[in-house]
Amino acid sequence: MQVRIAADAPSSVQTGALVVPIFSKESMQGAAQALDTELGGALADITGGEELKGSLCELALVHAKDKPYRRVLAVGLGEKAKFEPYMLARYAGAAVRHLGKRGIKDIAFALPEVVKGAEAAAASFIVEGALNGAIDTTIYQNEPDRAISLEKITILSEGLDKAALEQGAKRGEILGEAVLAARRMALTPANDMTPTHMAQRATELAKEAGLEIDVLDEKRMQELGMGSLLGVSRGSDEEAKMIVLTYKGDPSSDSMLALVGKGLTFDSGGISIKPAENMHEMKYDMSGGAGVIAAMSAIGRLKPKLNVMGVVPASENLPGHRAMKPGDILRAMNGKTIEVINTDAEGRLILADGLCYARKLGATKIVDAATLTGACVVALGHAASAALSNDDAFLEQFLAAAKPTGERYWHMPLYEDYSTAVKSEIADLRNSTGRPAGTLTAGAFLKAFVEDTPWIHLDVAGTAYLDTESAWQAKGPTGTPVRAFVALAEALAGDSGSAKASSNGAALTGVR
Ligand code: BES
Ligand code: MN
Ligand code: ZN
């Protein structure tokens, strides 16, 4: 997809469709108003009544056959007082999905006047949203049903800072491509996305982004004592992989942020097998790992000044004849023994060794992401991910960096009680407790493997994929937590991208 920033007036832009923003409960402004005058009140006709109220991503199309812009798509941005820059990603995504499915390959976007002063953030969101709106979910279909093939987008810069828009659009392209890469990996079914395939995809992305990569096979895992990860992998013929990506943006520093992701390419539950209903969705159980790989690829391309490592334990969880059994005791890399109460609580088992390995490789801060517990979906639904931590200051920093991205994280507690609950009578830990506080006991289990390293655990079980489509996003993987990971890296580096984008965002919210 080609991205262009153009100083053309809205009425003279050559495109397949021109997208204009409409705030609810406001009179038309900017591009919408200019075009309305040109079109003899056609937009006012729509927004004046019930046809388009301007709620977020609500849309209405007006044809303008003889004009250079051919069509005007009015897209709602909600109430102006509640506007946040990330909504522009949804604005762009909704437009691309609507127009793309109707064969339009060239789309121009007008921006609302409120983005003045925050142009870099605005352009980044537009490009990220447009790229992701155009995801092709039909690659396995012989006769694709309304595939979107977007070739070109234009962002109109009239009255705005063109250089900042250009800079933001570049970041948006890198971030958007990473989010897309994560979503495509997750979308790929488990027969095509095995741990070996995941490692191959990571290798390709690492090459493109100039990252170091090391993929451990089971022999090396054995030598390192990763008995917890190997225990999960025993039930499958597919070899487990530990994927390690390294980015050295600040070679003189000893600090190293580690991103650790659950790469469970298919979770049948193992011997404690899951019910058949919705089991197919467990191909998405590698979303945390895909998020780490994709975020690393964006970080390699954006080049923030810090060191980051991505660690992805990848395995299947199947009930093969050699599979681990309830009651088995595994030994993790740090020597801790784990009583397997339920083979379906496998995510924490593979992460245990992932976290130990990240520390061994020199991690000084760790964030992990995992589709870890069904309990998280019960607690927060699909509206937010859970965030647990052993370090309040680090968590605050993460939450502040993540907020402007549009991904939501909600702080949940890690009381000592939950650590007590995961103690075993026969081993050091047990991998499953009773029903209460399932997300938090899972977090307490992971905490036993990070010792005193500042750490955040993100449970993305309800947010990494959705079983419904929205105006702006196809059903399936969402790309969570890629945006937050990239924003955190930028914030820790304290330089480019979202550090700017977010302070711009804050300025923007203040300016209104
Ligand atoms: N991958 C699942 C968690 C999950 C469930 C993610 C539903 C998304 C949607 C995880 O491996 C799992 O099975 N967790 C168990 C843990 C339990 C056995 C302690 C769960 O949540 O039921
Ligand atoms: Mn499971
Ligand atoms: Zn799982």
Side-chain angles (χ1 to χ4, degrees):
M1 184 182 87
Q2 188 199 333
V3 181
R4 193 172 69 101
I5 313 293
D8 312 12
S11 57
S12 63
V13 64
Q14 296 258 358
T15 183
L18 173 53
V19 182
V20 298
I22 303 286
F23 284 112
S24 62
K25 303 178 188 163
E26 298 279 328
S27 54
M28 267 184 288
Q29 300 164 344
Q33 193 186 34
L35 290 167
D36 184 56
T37 310
E38 248 218 20
L39 296 172
L43 285 172
D45 230 25
I46 292 174
T47 56
E50 299 284 303
E51 203 174 330
L52 183 78
K53 290 190 156 179
S55 62
L56 186 60
C57 292
E58 190 192 2
L59 30 86
L61 186 67
V62 178
H63 281 259
K65 193 163 106 11
D66 300 323
K67 305 286 186 192
Y69 45 84
R70 305 285 305 279
R71 303 166 180 86
V72 176
L73 182 68
V75 178
L77 270 181
E79 278 179 49
K80 199 172 178 183
K82 293 185 181 158
F83 175 76
E84 293 189 50
Y86 77 79
M87 291 170 181
L88 291 171
R90 304 188 180 184
Y91 164 80
V96 165
R97 277 170 61 71
H98 186 84
L99 296 166
K101 284 180 190 171
R102 286 157 183 83
I104 296 159
K105 299 179 187 338
D106 177 350
I107 302 175
F109 293 92
L111 295 174
E113 284 158 0
V114 287
V115 305
K116 228 183 173 66
E119 283 92 342
S124 179
F125 283 119
I126 291 280
V127 178
E128 175 204 324
L131 275 168
N132 277 280
I135 191 172
D136 185 2
T137 57
T138 66
I139 51 173
Y140 283 91
Q141 292 176 342
N142 284 307
E143 286 164 48
D145 188 25
R146 295 193 145 194
I148 300 174
S149 68
L150 184 61
E151 289 169 1
K152 182 178 166 192
I153 68 164
T154 303
I155 299 174
L156 299 183
S157 66
E158 197 182 54
L160 298 170
D161 179 344
K162 191 161 184 252
L165 287 171
E166 266 157 10
Q167 179 217 327
K170 280 205 189 87
R171 175 183 182 273
E173 218 167 332
I174 291 172
L175 177 64
E177 281 171 7
V179 173
L180 252 185
R183 295 173 69 204
R184 284 186 180 134
M185 254 187 271
L187 208 51
T188 308
N191 58 333
D192 282 349
M193 189 51 62
T194 60
T196 301
H197 280 100
M198 219 173 155
Q200 274 166 6
R201 188 73 190 108
T203 307
E204 288 163 15
L205 289 168
K207 204 172 209 175
E208 285 167 26
L211 303 168
E212 286 169 38
I213 179 160
D214 186 22
V215 178
L216 280 65
D217 57 14
E218 292 193 353
K219 186 165 166 285
R220 280 177 70 196
M221 292 177 203
Q222 214 120 39
E223 287 161 10
L224 287 159
M226 299 181 176
S228 191
L229 167 53
L230 287 167
V232 174
S233 176
R234 278 178 70 86
S236 164
D237 280 347
E238 291 291 339
E239 193 178 36
K241 300 286 175 191
M242 178 75 85
I243 305 162
V244 182
L245 301 154
T246 311
Y247 165 74
K248 288 241 167 76
D250 192 6
S252 65
S253 160
D254 290 335
S255 309
M256 171 75 81
L257 169 69
L259 305 174
V260 179
K262 172 178 175 182
L264 212 294
T265 58
F266 188 75
D267 182 12
S268 71
I271 299 294
S272 315
I273 199 159
K274 288 181 181 294
E277 197 187 355
N278 294 331
M279 200 205 274
H280 63 281
E281 290 188 351
M282 285 298 117
K283 71 172 182 177
Y284 298 138
D285 210 19
M286 36 57 78
S287 296
V292 166
I293 294 167
M296 287 303 297
S297 82
I299 290 166
R301 293 173 67 192
L302 289 167
K303 303 195 183 359
K305 190 172 182 311
L306 84 166
N307 303 319
V308 195
M309 182 168 70
V311 176
V312 180
S315 174
E316 289 189 326
N317 185 23
L318 293 182
H321 65 284
R322 282 161 46 81
M324 65 174 178
K325 303 164 288 295
D328 284 1
I329 296 181
L330 307 173
R331 187 183 297 272
M333 192 180 167
N334 63 352
K336 288 196 177 164
T337 54
I338 304 160
E339 182 186 9
V340 178
I341 301 292
N342 188 321
T343 65
D344 197 11
E346 85 300 335
R348 65 198 76 184
L349 295 177
I350 68 169
L351 286 170
D353 280 329
L355 294 168
C356 289
Y357 196 47
R359 292 187 76 232
K360 185 186 155 81
L361 294 177
T364 52
K365 283 195 172 80
I366 304 178
V367 189
D368 79 70
T371 45
L372 204 61
T373 62
C376 188
V377 191
V378 175
L380 294 170
H382 304 285
S385 311
L388 288 67
S389 178
N390 63 358
D391 186 312
D392 288 344
F394 185 33
L395 181 66
E396 283 308 314
Q397 206 172 11
F398 170 80
L399 293 176
K403 194 162 194 295
T405 68
E407 290 182 0
R408 292 205 196 99
Y409 296 87
W410 194 254
H411 182 190
M412 305 247 264
L414 261 184
Y415 300 125
E416 210 40 47
D417 310 48
Y418 309 127
S419 294
T420 307
V422 294
K423 285 193 174 135
S424 161
E425 285 169 3
I426 179 170
D428 297 329
L429 294 157
R430 53 178 176 168
N431 79 331
S432 172
T433 58
R435 279 171 66 84
T439 302
L440 314 180
T441 51
F445 180 94
L446 298 178
K447 191 179 165 196
F449 297 89
V450 294
E451 311 278 340
D452 52 1
T453 306
W455 155 81
I456 299 166
H457 161 58
L458 306 174
D459 194 330
V460 295
T463 50
Y465 62 92
L466 299 172
D467 65 2
T468 47
E469 66 174 336
S470 60
W472 57 281
Q473 188 166 258
K475 121 180 197 178
T478 60
T480 299
V482 178
R483 303 165 188 87
F485 274 167
V486 173
L488 175 67
E490 288 172 331
L492 290 175
D495 55 10
S496 60
S498 94
K500 251 183 218 155
S502 60
S503 66
N504 270 344
L508 181 66
T509 354
V511 158
R512 271 187 330 249

